Amino acid sequence: MRAARVILSRIGTGPLSGDIATFYALISSNQEHTIHVAPLLKLVLTEAKDTDIWTAVFDLVARPRPLPQPTTPPPSHLSFTSSFQQTPRSFNTGGFEDTSEYRKQVDDPLRAELLPSLRIDIPNFVDAVFGCVPQREELAETIYRLCQEGDTPLYNEGSGWSQWPLKADEKAVLGWLQELMDHLTAWVRKHSTRATVSRQIYRGPGIYLDGTPIKRKMDVGFTAGNGHSRTDSKTKENTSTQKPNWSEILVTGELKSNPDQDRNEKAWVDLATYAREVFRTQDRRFVLGFTLCGSRIRLWHFDRSGACGSSSFDINQDGFAFIRVMLGYYLMTDEQLGLDPTIQGPEGERYVEITRKGQVERLILIAKIKKQAAIVSRATTCWRAYQDTDKTKQPLIVKDSWQYEERPEEGLLIKEATDGGVENIARYYHHETVHVGEEIDDTLGNVRRGLMEECGGTTFRQKASREPDAPASNSQGTAVTGQMQPPPLLRKRSSSSAQLESQSSTKRSRTSFQLREPEKTLHNRVHRRIVTRDAGKHVYEAKSLRGIVNGFLGAIHGHESLLNAGILHRDISIGNIMLTENEDDGFLIDFDLSIKISDDRASGAPGKTGTKVFMSIGGLLGEPQSPMQDMESIFWVLFWVCIHYEGRNEKGEYKRRIVPKYEKWNYADTEELADIKKGLIVEEEGFSKAIAGFTPYCQPLIPCVQELRKSIFPNGKRWLGENRELYSQIRCVLDKARRDLELEATGLC
């Protein structure tokens, strides 16, 4: 099987091992006869040539077989277990559910998230990033001259910065940097002819920043002038008593005393963790940062397509370059530092403007209800909103995301579904591609501003344990290097030119995360905005168990209604099953990964991201997505709710717990998680123990979950063919659970 994980499928886009797993499941469920394996067994027993054996394997898994007889209403599409071309799944740090997010759990997944798209030694990085700042060059020349004047100049071209601490101790470097920035600030105010923005150095070693669940400290950076990094003028110590917050960080920074760490990914990953928290707490298009290792500085840019870094330089040998960089950070506007200019107004009065039916509408953003915590991702963010001229303030949902440009527009799909009368889904109101500076807001064009017109290389050691058939690496890890060709910056592509390829590593990390080799082509993401009419709340926020059941009933009806309209959802998760405000029905949201069943090929996007803990067993094994897998995901969502959610407290706030056994699902390898789920389904004793672990609040749902298991996994087997009757079976189980809960509430049972 190790070789089958490396060999590519001829009937799909994943490895051959996925096809073998599907065939084995067909035999296990009596949907395939063992007699067809005989030719392959004969070749193995007679020790035939490897090429003959592998040819027989390919023929076996691709063997045509009759489709299962569909039930009414008849599907108007091909079998989903045929060779439908789907893009492979990839995962990022935004897909964690009910986890404490300890640093050790996040760093390796984040590293795997960044690896394929990371580039360093980008030519002309400084000009591309800071070239938009007026007067920077003139001011830099003036300040560089001032640094060399006087009896005790700050800088000498022969020896470097006069007060630079020789050991590059963190505390000493921060004090030196603060003093330098004090001089720089005073000179800018004296010599600049334009109004300057207020920026200051953030100095925070030893201080945990607020604003996110994960506990992180950041060494250095830039904040707005009203930040919390005030310093004593004599001791240069931080005198602020107010705890800093990630929402105030404008530029991230990481200090290392050893200059050799400049080319060690440890410093890069540390900086990336800070960028992730900034993305998480702010409305950002990109985040800038720097690593200062000894006296070597490297500049960084993070966006939804990945990370890129400059060549490093020694600040003592090139003082002028260092002045240019520090001035750039100091003088940049919020927009130039990466904040989204289309989301306007002060905190608490935020709004966006859309052009709908030829008229500009202002949508007031009431509250942020979802924010994906990842860097290389769709970065889905949702707000509850209303139209400012609507006196009734009918609720709307504004959703921003960064979608692969090759993928069909989610807004068009929602509009088609709404116009077609699909029920129990979020109804269409508006969609658009976001523009910044009158240009389409995309990562490789508008966001990077020419940063990638000449690509650098990538160096990122493989921190992975070697598979037995993998090539050996030295004790320091394998360095991956290479010159990358510049990616196309086209705004529109034909369907044929949009078929992109990604490469996957066969190595597995020590934390079971699969690391991918650097991609030859960087993938462009486009900033899109969708507005829907229905707000609601997440199903786990229900005030009663009846409300939870109603939410799942609505989700089942919505999924079937979508399928009847020729649309498959493909991303069933706890965040995508919503409950109406009065808790009498549910509906589905988030159609970014949905497909029209009539499509017969992949979009060309390099991967699709789902919430791994809710994926079906087949999905985890790389099998083509099907309606049966979506229904299995609904089962896992309900199972997850019952494990974690504890009802509401005295204040009316919903409570949930973290269960270490299931927290590990977030970090498990896909094949490992598939085995865990198969064990739960097949072993009666194991499943009984699992449901006994439901929260006391959700214990009344145990009979419902047991019956759903029998329907979705008959005799402990997975559905591999399409069975439309499963919808009605699931509805019957949920209806009975609702009636039982109603009887219990009235005291009649």
Side-chain angles (χ1 to χ4, degrees):
M1 284 298 291
R2 286 195 296 269
R5 293 172 189 160
V6 180
I7 300 172
L8 294 178
S9 166
R10 292 180 181 175
I11 62 173
T13 56
L16 176 61
S17 58
D19 300 336
I20 296 174
T22 300
F23 182 80
Y24 178 78
L26 285 166
I27 290 179
S28 300
S29 59
N30 296 319
Q31 297 180 55
E32 180 64 84
H33 201 285
T34 55
I35 192 173
H36 300 295
V37 187
L40 173 61
L41 288 176
K42 183 178 179 180
L43 290 171
V44 173
L45 293 174
T46 58
E47 298 184 352
K49 295 179 180 178
D50 286 351
T51 53
D52 293 338
I53 292 175
W54 283 113
T55 299
V57 171
F58 279 117
D59 291 342
L60 182 63
V61 297
R63 194 185 69 79
R65 54 187 60 92
L67 300 177
Q69 292 299 311
T71 58
T72 55
S76 58
H77 55 84
L78 299 174
S79 167
F80 283 89
T81 55
S82 66
S83 58
F84 180 82
Q85 297 297 303
Q86 300 185 72
T87 49
R89 282 191 181 270
S90 60
F91 301 98
N92 56 50
T93 54
F96 298 154
E97 287 291 340
D98 296 296
T99 173
S100 51
E101 286 200 31
Y102 292 118
R103 177 168 184 162
K104 63 182 180 181
Q105 297 170 326
V106 174
D107 284 9
D108 276 351
L110 179 60
R111 186 176 179 276
E113 175 185 319
L114 284 173
L115 170 60
S117 56
L118 185 141
R119 303 289 186 271
I120 62 170
D121 298 332
I122 303 296
N124 303 317
F125 186 101
V126 172
D127 290 337
V129 172
F130 299 110
C132 58
V133 182
Q135 295 186 350
R136 182 180 62 95
E137 288 301 310
E138 296 88 341
L139 277 172
E141 292 176 1
T142 299
I143 291 174
Y144 183 61
R145 174 176 51 80
L146 292 170
C147 285
Q148 299 176 80
E149 293 179 351
D151 296 333
T152 55
L154 297 178
Y155 182 79
N156 293 287
E157 289 191 351
S159 56
W161 297 98
S162 58
Q163 299 300 315
W164 173 257
L166 294 180
K167 294 184 179 181
D169 172 76
E170 182 180 86
K171 184 177 179 180
V173 169
L174 286 171
W176 170 82
L177 189 58
Q178 179 67 63
E179 185 172 351
L180 176 65
M181 289 306 300
D182 288 344
H183 286 289
L184 185 146
T185 300
W187 286 332
V188 167
R189 290 174 178 170
K190 180 178 180 181
H191 294 279
S192 177
T193 59
R194 72 184 187 99
T196 59
V197 292
S198 183
R199 301 281 184 258
Q200 67 179 28
I201 282 286
Y202 169 80
R203 300 165 58 200
I207 301 174
Y208 289 110
L209 284 88
D210 278 343
T212 66
I214 196 168
K215 296 183 70 175
R216 296 277 188 189
K217 305 171 185 177
M218 187 178 78
D219 296 336
V220 67
F222 280 84
T223 67
N226 58 351
H228 301 303
S229 189
R230 293 183 293 274
T231 55
D232 183 274
S233 59
K234 294 182 179 180
T235 65
K236 303 301 178 185
E237 295 289 338
N238 191 334
T239 61
S240 174
T241 58
Q242 194 171 356
K243 202 168 183 181
N245 194 292
W246 285 109
S247 63
E248 301 161 348
I249 301 299
L250 295 176
V251 177
T252 59
E254 171 69 7
L255 299 180
K256 302 289 184 185
S257 59
N258 186 348
D260 292 340
Q261 291 182 294
D262 168 63
R263 296 195 70 87
N264 186 316
E265 72 269 13
K266 177 66 168 61
W268 308 350
V269 173
D270 284 346
L271 189 70
T273 63
Y274 310 150
R276 179 177 182 260
E277 303 312 304
V278 172
F279 274 123
R280 190 178 196 166
T281 55
Q282 301 178 31
D283 299 319
R284 286 280 193 153
R285 300 166 62 231
F286 59 90
V287 174
L288 300 179
F290 61 91
T291 53
L292 184 58
C293 300
S295 59
R296 296 202 68 83
I297 191 169
R298 188 184 298 272
L299 316 179
W300 291 91
H301 169 109
F302 299 90
D303 59 39
R304 303 309 183 176
S305 282
C308 52
S310 70
S311 298
S312 67
F313 65 90
D314 191 306
I315 65 173
N316 282 312
Q317 295 177 8
D318 196 342
F320 179 64
F322 184 61
I323 290 293
R324 292 175 71 207
V325 168
M326 291 296 106
L327 263 181
Y329 289 137
Y330 182 81
L331 295 173
M332 292 176 103
T333 65
D334 288 352
E335 180 179 343
Q336 291 166 343
L337 287 171
L339 280 86
D340 189 342
T342 69
I343 302 171
Q344 306 175 63
E347 197 63 41
E349 302 175 24
R350 310 282 274 167
Y351 66 89
V352 297
E353 290 183 341
I354 62 174
T355 302
R356 180 172 177 263
K357 297 180 179 179
Q359 301 293 322
V360 175
E361 294 184 10
R362 177 171 292 187
L363 305 182
I364 307 301
L365 306 179
I366 305 171
K368 190 175 291 182
I369 56 177
K370 179 179 180 179
K371 180 74 171 182
Q372 188 179 23
I375 298 177
V376 186
S377 68
R378 287 176 286 161
T380 301
T381 306
C382 297
W383 297 267
R384 190 182 296 267
Y386 66 88
Q387 213 261 20
D388 69 337
T389 60
D390 181 5
K391 295 181 180 180
T392 64
K393 296 185 178 180
Q394 287 295 311
L396 299 170
I397 295 296
V398 177
K399 173 187 172 181
D400 272 25
S401 63
W402 293 81
Q403 300 176 347
Y404 287 121
E405 66 176 349
E406 297 88 359
R407 219 181 270 292
E409 287 195 47
E410 179 186 6
L412 291 174
L413 200 64
I414 298 175
K415 185 178 189 304
E416 179 179 330
T418 302
D419 292 345
V422 174
E423 299 174 338
N424 291 80
I425 65 167
R427 293 174 298 159
Y428 177 84
Y429 183 83
H430 174 74
H431 79 283
E432 65 183 26
T433 297
V434 177
H435 285 64
V436 172
E438 300 184 354
E439 294 183 10
I440 290 176
D441 197 21
D442 62 340
T443 51
L444 299 188
N446 201 343
V447 168
R448 295 198 176 183
R449 302 186 299 270
L451 190 59
M452 300 300 290
E453 287 180 0
E454 295 182 74
C455 285
T458 175
T459 302
F460 214 118
R461 287 205 294 262
Q462 292 282 4
K463 187 179 179 182
S465 57
R466 184 166 55 91
E467 293 280 348
D469 58 347
S473 62
N474 59 40
S475 61
Q476 299 301 313
T478 301
V480 182
T481 60
Q483 293 299 316
M484 301 297 148
Q485 295 301 314
L489 298 179
L490 301 178
R491 294 295 191 274
K492 296 181 180 179
R493 301 182 185 178
S494 66
S495 58
S496 60
S497 65
Q499 307 303 310
L500 304 180
E501 295 181 354
S502 62
Q503 298 180 341
S504 298
S505 172
T506 60
K507 298 182 181 180
R508 186 173 299 166
S509 73
R510 295 190 182 99
T511 57
S512 296
F513 261 82
Q514 293 178 344
L515 301 181
R516 293 174 289 163
E517 297 288 350
E519 295 173 349
K520 292 183 178 180
T521 302
L522 290 176
H523 300 286
N524 196 24
R525 289 183 183 265
V526 180
H527 188 183
R528 289 176 176 150
R529 182 164 291 153
I530 297 169
V531 187
T532 54
R533 291 184 181 275
D534 302 293
K537 54 189 173 185
H538 290 105
V539 68
Y540 54 78
E541 296 178 294
K543 297 177 182 177
S544 68
L545 292 179
R546 282 175 295 167
I548 289 177
V549 173
N550 285 336
F552 280 90
L553 275 165
I556 283 291
H557 183 70
H559 192 275
E560 184 178 27
S561 185
L562 275 169
L563 193 61
N564 289 336
I567 299 171
L568 183 62
H569 190 279
R570 300 205 307 171
D571 190 19
I572 301 296
S573 70
I574 201 168
N576 293 340
I577 299 177
M578 301 297 289
L579 186 63
T580 57
E581 292 293 349
N582 56 11
E583 301 192 1
D584 63 348
D585 205 357
F587 58 96
L588 291 174
I589 63 171
D590 195 351
F591 303 91
D592 186 32
L593 300 183
S594 300
I595 58 168
K596 294 180 66 175
I597 295 167
S598 58
D599 291 346
D600 61 354
R601 58 187 172 192
S603 67
K608 65 184 179 190
T609 308
T611 307
K612 181 164 52 176
V613 298
F614 306 121
M615 285 174 61
S616 67
I617 294 170
L620 291 167
L621 292 174
E623 297 170 8
Q625 196 79 7
S626 72
M628 313 307 286
Q629 291 187 20
D630 274 7
M631 283 186 271
E632 183 186 329
S633 290
I634 289 176
F635 170 84
W636 292 117
V637 173
L638 180 57
F639 179 86
W640 193 267
V641 167
C642 292
I643 288 289
H644 293 89
Y645 291 88
E646 303 177 299
R648 291 178 176 257
N649 59 22
E650 310 78 42
K651 298 180 181 179
E653 302 166 332
Y654 72 89
K655 300 182 297 178
R656 66 181 184 182
R657 64 182 183 176
I658 293 174
V659 183
K661 177 181 178 180
Y662 295 101
E663 184 180 14
K664 294 176 182 177
W665 286 21
N666 287 288
Y667 314 107
D669 173 75
T670 53
E671 292 183 8
E672 178 188 354
L673 183 53
D675 288 340
I676 292 172
K677 289 187 173 184
K678 281 189 286 187
L680 275 176
I681 295 307
V682 173
E683 299 172 9
E684 189 68 41
E685 183 180 353
F687 188 74
S688 297
K689 288 182 179 179
I691 59 178
F694 284 2
T695 63
Y697 178 73
C698 290
Q699 290 280 328
L701 291 179
I702 286 179
C704 172
V705 175
Q706 287 175 319
E707 290 302 312
L708 285 177
R709 173 182 173 237
K710 294 177 183 178
S711 296
I712 296 174
F713 305 99
N715 300 316
K717 308 295 184 182
R718 296 186 288 123
W719 286 98
L720 297 180
E722 183 181 339
N723 175 20
R724 291 288 190 100
E725 289 182 354
L726 190 56
Y727 285 110
S728 59
Q729 292 175 26
I730 293 175
R731 272 196 296 269
C732 286
V733 173
L734 292 172
D735 271 328
K736 183 180 185 304
R738 180 169 58 182
R739 289 195 303 271
D740 291 345
L741 290 168
E742 289 171 350
L743 289 173
E744 183 180 348
T746 57
L748 297 178
C749 65

